[in-house]
Amino acid sequence: MTFDYPADLRALQKDLFETRARLQDLLKTLPYSVEPITSWRRPEGYWLPSARPYPDSPGWSEQDQKEVTALRERERDLAEAILVHPFWTELDASDRPKARSHLKHAVDHANDES
């Protein structure tokens, strides 16, 4: 079964993919902890060994936090726009889950063809 997705819905899905990719790329460059944290190791003799052996984390800058917040908000807004798009009401309720799943691949294939 194929679906004839409107151009604006495919554009929303493409933008969602790109936003998620930018967010993941940004998160890979940031320190592991939002707040500054020092590494530590529990001394010998405790019944449960525990440690954070990573290097100290300087935390995220205010700009980093703003960028991550903006990308997460954009991701949420795009997902909402896709979810409530009028196209879904044109389909039978039983076809909607499959159509939503196929949308992700329709955008992938459209990128391959261009």
Side-chain angles (χ1 to χ4, degrees):
M1 176 176 266
T2 60
F3 301 96
D4 188 22
Y5 299 106
D8 65 327
L9 181 58
R10 290 194 349 210
L12 287 167
Q13 184 66 51
K14 183 179 181 206
D15 197 6
L16 179 61
F17 283 156
E18 291 169 357
T19 300
R20 286 181 174 161
R22 283 195 308 269
L23 177 60
Q24 289 303 312
D25 290 344
L26 176 60
L27 290 172
K28 288 177 187 174
T29 66
L30 296 176
Y32 66 88
S33 175
V34 177
E35 298 295 325
I37 189 172
T38 56
S39 60
W40 53 271
R41 182 174 305 279
R42 185 177 277 172
E44 292 292 322
Y46 283 87
W47 65 276
L48 180 64
S50 180
R52 168 126 0 237
Y54 304 111
D56 294 349
S57 171
W60 295 2
S61 71
E62 191 172 318
Q63 179 62 31
D64 293 337
Q65 292 180 40
K66 285 180 182 178
E67 284 183 59
V68 169
T69 299
L71 286 170
R72 285 181 175 157
E73 287 175 0
R74 177 83 176 134
E75 178 184 26
R76 184 192 64 234
D77 292 344
L78 288 166
E80 178 184 7
I82 291 167
L83 184 65
V84 301
H85 194 279
F87 172 75
W88 306 119
T89 60
E90 300 171 9
L91 301 175
D92 291 337
S94 62
D95 291 335
R96 288 179 197 154
K98 184 175 280 193
R100 289 179 194 272
S101 179
H102 284 207
L103 173 62
K104 297 170 189 168
H105 302 290
V107 171
D108 288 343
H109 295 305
N111 289 341
D112 293 342
E113 294 169 5
S114 36

